[in-house]
Amino acid sequence: MAQRARLALSGAGFARAETVEAAGFPARFGLDIGHLMVPIGAEGHWFAPELRASAPLRAPLHWTLAPSLPQQLTLGGMHFTLTAAKAAGAVSLASRPVLPLQAAAAQLEAPALSYDATGATVLNARAVSASLDAGKAQTYRMTLRITGLTLPQGVAAALAPRSGLPDTIEDILLSADLAFDPAPSLAGAPADLREITLTPSRIIWGDSGLTASGTVTLDANGQPQGRILLSTKDWRNWLDFLIGSGIVAPDLEQVMTSFATYLAAQSSDGSLQLPLSFNEGMMSLGPVPLGPAPRLR
């Protein structure tokens, strides 16, 4: 007979589930987890009504994950519903005493996010995939890819009215090396993120492209220090977006335009390279201060 139990890991800041039911033995190791809730930041959470986890007998530390759909997200006090054509994941642990994380992956096909208060779809995409793979010295390579991300109709035009950017962002690729101390594990001490090194990451939005690379370190409070180098030939469209979204104040447009025009003229292909800098709790884009930097832990 299958055994039922409560999973209560929220004391460690990880997750809570109402039921855990053993399944699949002797063909495989399996768990059917009911009403799983995982915290996101201080006030958010992800909720799945069911999650089926299984591992073959020959590889008991390599688990595949199949969450049920739809799922719920709470972010900043707002409630959303996530649907998709398919959702899948995997987690692998290394066979060492504290069971350190070896790899993790997640995929969503045709995901859509709707706002519960209105029922309106706020985001949808062709596909979303994410992976985390262990490297050397407690460092992990993270890759996040989103293709065909579609914003609500008219949002792009409202944020960047002069750019002609479409409502669909064709491709977002975030690639980074993440250094932890200690490494993430199932049975060890909580992992602290210490350093983020962006390897060439990019956004392709209509005819506009932007790449980013660089390194920031995090102090004990998650405050970043360092810089990310942004590079684009389409800087006028991105400046229009930064002003429309409120990241850059409108009264700085003339200064930013003059500065960007000068820098772009110095390059052989007309591209602009501009540092996004983090220093003593503040951030700036080139010479323009943007305000307090976000805490990343």
Side-chain angles (χ1 to χ4, degrees), residues 11 56 90-91 94 99 116 121 135 138 141 156 159 182 186 189 194 203 224 270 289:
V91 173
L99 299 175
D116 290 354
T121 298
Q138 303 180 152
R141 169 59 59 90
L159 293 177
L186 184 64
R194 296 297 189 183
I203 299 176

Side-chain angles (χ1 to χ4, degrees), residues 1 7 20 27 83 112 121 129 131-132 138 158 199 231-232 245 267:
M1 178 180 294
L7 177 69
V20 179
T83 60
T121 298
S129 63
S131 64
L132 195 66
Q138 303 180 152
T199 53
S231 180
T232 180
S245 59
S267 67

Side-chain angles (χ1 to χ4, degrees), residues 261-282:
T261 300
Y262 170 77
L263 289 181
Q266 309 307 307
S267 67
S268 59
D269 60 356
S271 63
L272 171 67
Q273 292 190 337
L274 204 59
L276 177 63
S277 302
F278 303 89
N279 185 39
E280 297 183 351
M282 305 299 288

